[in-house]
Amino acid sequence: MPNSMADYNLYSLEDTIYQDMELAYRNHVYQTYLNLRSDTKLKMLEIAEKNGLSPSNPNIIEDVKNYISSAAKYNIDYESIPLTVDFAPYFLEVTREGICQHFAMAATVMYQSLGIPARYTVGFAAQTKANEWVEVTGYQKHAWVEVYIDGFGW
């Protein structure tokens, strides 16, 4: 499994039809998953610069992951974020605590600010066994970020 942007460059689509399809989808991704308010983007870029995150670094995806993971503390009893503030910067600079939704949202906005298409995703994380029913509850809900790698996908 690739660990950095440099590793993803090892993979490519050789068939022209698939290259054309990927390029069309890539254009859609860039038009859809980089839309941020300008003030949010500017604030996130300030945070990125302050923390040594540069989009020109070939390991930027891993660097953002590491930064977001260490920028705050996981705390199920987190302080609520006011509805009147810009959520991602406030989480990263003020409350510095939260749950998976906060971390995933902050990572999504950081990636997008740096020009990397990203989407916020939600679902469930549960232990399963083949051919057996598994009870899934709200306690197993989870959020994560997905980044798009040109020529590779999400």
Side-chain angles (χ1 to χ4, degrees):
M1 173 172 227
N3 292 316
S4 70
M5 280 295 278
D7 291 342
Y8 285 102
N9 292 330
L10 299 174
Y11 300 92
S12 66
L13 300 171
E14 294 179 11
D15 188 327
T16 305
I17 280 185
Y18 294 120
Q19 289 175 352
D20 292 344
M21 291 170 54
E22 193 282 330
L23 185 58
Y25 184 66
R26 181 188 310 178
N27 289 335
H28 163 74
V29 166
Y30 276 80
Q31 290 173 4
T32 306
Y33 295 99
L34 290 177
N35 296 322
L36 289 174
R37 289 186 355 212
S38 59
D39 58 330
T40 299
K41 182 177 180 176
L42 289 173
K43 183 61 179 166
M44 293 302 283
L45 288 173
E46 286 176 21
I47 294 170
E49 184 176 345
K50 187 167 52 175
N51 289 281
L53 300 172
S54 170
S56 64
N57 182 336
N59 296 315
I60 189 60
I61 293 173
E62 187 73 16
D63 291 348
V64 169
K65 180 186 86 89
N66 291 336
Y67 164 67
I68 297 294
S69 297
S70 64
K73 178 180 76 169
Y74 188 90
N75 180 4
I76 200 157
D77 296 317
Y78 60 90
E79 175 187 331
S80 293
I81 296 178
L83 297 175
T84 57
V85 301
D86 201 344
F87 199 90
Y90 194 87
F91 168 70
L92 292 171
E93 294 191 313
V94 179
T95 62
R96 299 180 56 95
E97 66 176 10
I99 56 176
C100 59
Q101 287 95 332
H102 299 98
F103 287 88
M105 172 277 315
T108 301
V109 175
M110 181 61 78
Y111 285 123
Q112 291 176 345
S113 296
L114 294 167
I116 300 167
R119 62 186 181 190
Y120 176 88
T121 308
V122 294
F124 292 88
Q127 296 293 326
T128 62
K129 293 181 182 176
N131 301 316
E132 289 187 22
W133 285 96
V134 175
E135 182 176 349
V136 179
T137 69
Y139 291 109
Q140 292 149 314
K141 64 186 174 189
H142 188 56
W144 60 93
V145 61
E146 296 178 339
V147 297
Y148 185 80
I149 308 297
D150 294 351
F152 193 76
W154 294 102

